[in-house]
Amino acid sequence: EERRMSAGGFVNAPVTKGIIGLTTLATLGASATRTSPTWALSVDGLWNRKELWRLVSSQFVFSSAGELVVGLALLYAFRQFERQWGSRRFGSFVIMAGCLSAAVSIACLSSPRFRGLREVSSGPYATIFGLLVQYYFDLPISAPVMTVLGVRLSDKSLVYLMASHMFLSFAPSSSIPGGAGLVLGLLYRWERFGLRRLTLPPFLSSIFARLFLPLLDTAPRRPPGGAAAGAA
């Protein structure tokens, strides 16, 4: 189990690999065609144009290169949770994050309290910040704590710094989906809600496996002749 958790790259993390790949391609494509705003949840897109597909597209397209770099770095750091939970459970968490983020975003765009809000930051914010909660509680500090200018720093400090930058960079637009993710992360840890027991249905995971696993295969490769050498 320890070897499985500490494996490099995307070994045993096909869902994370898929999210990172899709987010990268979608963001770069939207940036190249200068259509990034058309993928986000906005008052004009939802209420005036009835573009409901934005509920999905907004979960995968970052609006800037800075968000993309920081967001992908955090997703890569959190891939170990897919290894720990399994891809079916991790996939259900991603879906819950997207649904809650879309619901909260729609509520805020519709609320008179956010009258000046016209658009919510797009990208997998809720997934990132939901996993950030698990990262805070479940992963111990693995390196000695340092003190720099009176501030105590650990090997986890960089992750918190990057997450804080994402959360506040375009606030309140960025803090709405980020806040939804934080709420989900806390509820996920509350046994009363039973969210940890939810996994993707077998038929759905089977469909995803047949369609995408050949592209996202992350099983560790054995060196040629490894089996024969072991037998010898």
Side-chain angles (χ1 to χ4, degrees), residues 141-193:
I141 296 174
S142 59
V145 176
M146 301 180 296
T147 301
V148 180
L149 300 177
V151 179
R152 294 172 59 84
L153 301 175
S154 72
D155 57 325
K156 299 173 68 174
S157 298
L158 180 60
V159 168
Y160 298 142
L161 182 62
M162 291 191 296
S164 298
H165 171 74
M166 282 196 68
F167 192 86
L168 300 173
S169 57
F170 298 103
S173 178
S174 57
S175 57
I176 290 173
L182 292 176
V183 171
L184 174 63
L186 292 172
L187 294 178
Y188 197 76
R189 303 188 64 81
W190 198 352
E191 294 293 341
R192 179 177 299 181
F193 286 91

Side-chain angles (χ1 to χ4, degrees), residues 5-201:
M5 288 288 292
S6 61
F10 292 102
V11 174
N12 298 315
V15 175
T16 303
K17 183 179 181 180
I19 293 173
I20 287 180
L22 178 58
T23 300
T24 301
L25 292 176
T27 301
L28 293 179
S31 177
T33 56
R34 298 182 180 181
T35 58
S36 296
T38 64
W39 302 97
L41 289 177
S42 66
V43 173
D44 181 59
L46 287 177
W47 309 143
N48 299 337
R49 301 181 183 178
K50 313 297 184 184
E51 296 172 340
L52 299 182
W53 47 264
R54 291 181 183 236
L55 295 171
V56 176
S57 65
S58 63
Q59 306 300 320
F60 298 101
V61 182
F62 282 116
S63 61
S64 68
E67 288 176 286
L68 176 65
V69 172
V70 176
L72 295 188
L74 291 173
L75 284 171
Y76 186 79
F78 298 153
R79 71 195 186 284
Q80 51 200 310
F81 291 109
E82 181 176 359
R83 296 169 178 165
Q84 179 182 355
W85 299 348
S87 295
R88 285 180 58 192
R89 179 179 163 193
F90 186 84
S92 70
F93 183 90
V94 172
I95 292 175
M96 284 188 288
C99 291
L100 182 60
S101 175
V104 171
S105 297
I106 291 175
C108 291
L109 289 171
S110 307
S111 174
R113 295 186 178 182
F114 295 89
R115 188 169 300 174
L117 182 68
R118 307 297 299 175
E119 181 179 302
V120 175
S121 293
S122 58
Y125 272 82
T127 296
I128 290 171
F129 283 92
L131 293 173
L132 179 67
V133 175
Q134 319 311 313
Y135 182 83
Y136 175 80
F137 285 105
D138 292 342
L139 265 67
I141 296 174
S142 59
V145 176
M146 301 180 296
T147 301
V148 180
L149 300 177
V151 179
R152 294 172 59 84
L153 301 175
S154 72
D155 57 325
K156 299 173 68 174
S157 298
L158 180 60
V159 168
Y160 298 142
L161 182 62
M162 291 191 296
S164 298
H165 171 74
M166 282 196 68
F167 192 86
L168 300 173
S169 57
F170 298 103
S173 178
S174 57
S175 57
I176 290 173
L182 292 176
V183 171
L184 174 63
L186 292 172
L187 294 178
Y188 197 76
R189 303 188 64 81
W190 198 352
E191 294 293 341
R192 179 177 299 181
F193 286 91
L195 298 181
R196 293 193 176 201
R197 295 191 294 270
L198 298 179
T199 61
L200 291 178

